[in-house]
Amino acid sequence: MIKIKSAFLAVALVATLAYAPSALAKGKSGSPQVIYTGEIAKKVVGYNGPTPVNITITNGKITSITALDNKETPSYFNRAKEKVFKQFIGKTVDEGINLKADVATGATYSSEALIKNIKMGLQQAKDSDKGTSDKGTKSNKKNKKGKGKRSMTK
């Protein structure tokens, strides 16, 4: 009986490995994609500094958002997290990008920073799914002062 189970598991493993690369290449796997906003949104700050997050996207929908280390006041930041995160969970990437999210009363700076982080992360996920990069498509546009650089936080 043990030999049969081992043989079955070996066949299942080989089949999984044989089909997994093509499924991943086509974006059809149920594997979660995690977007880290620490680098792409490092200029986005709350009341006391950057507020990076990890956004987990599974099958095209936002399944979780995790706040990472920051210097925000915990009581205010927790209020902001509770209000902001639940508005994005369950949304598609496009819905999240276009969401007019509400901020938490009394934690406006933290809320706004979290919203910007999430939207920037979702835009990166969308761009990576299309095989494009923000740097290659927008960096050549000039800002209002004609300097050729764009601010990510406006």
Side-chain angles (χ1 to χ4, degrees), residues 37-142:
T37 66
E39 286 301 312
I40 60 173
K42 61 186 169 190
K43 293 183 180 178
V44 176
V45 295
Y47 192 77
N48 290 319
T51 56
V53 297
N54 277 340
I55 306 164
T56 304
I57 301 167
T58 308
N59 296 324
K61 292 197 173 191
I62 304 162
T63 53
S64 72
I65 302 171
T66 306
L68 303 175
D69 289 340
N70 60 71
K71 295 181 179 173
E72 299 295 282
T73 305
S75 60
Y76 293 105
F77 191 70
N78 288 335
R79 189 179 321 156
K81 284 190 321 187
E82 286 179 30
K83 177 84 174 190
V84 171
F85 290 2
K86 69 181 179 182
Q87 295 176 72
F88 286 92
I89 301 298
K91 302 276 192 275
T92 65
V93 171
D94 284 333
E95 290 170 339
I97 290 169
N98 296 313
L99 181 67
K100 303 253 190 268
D102 293 328
V103 298
T105 304
T108 305
Y109 291 115
S110 296
S111 298
E112 289 175 345
L114 288 171
I115 292 166
K116 283 182 184 179
N117 266 279
I118 294 167
K119 289 188 174 203
M120 290 176 82
L122 294 175
Q123 187 62 55
Q124 178 174 317
K126 182 177 179 176
D127 291 346
S128 69
D129 284 347
K130 289 182 180 178
T132 61
S133 170
D134 190 37
K135 289 181 182 178
T137 58
K138 294 183 181 176
S139 63
N140 294 332
K141 293 183 180 178
K142 292 184 177 183

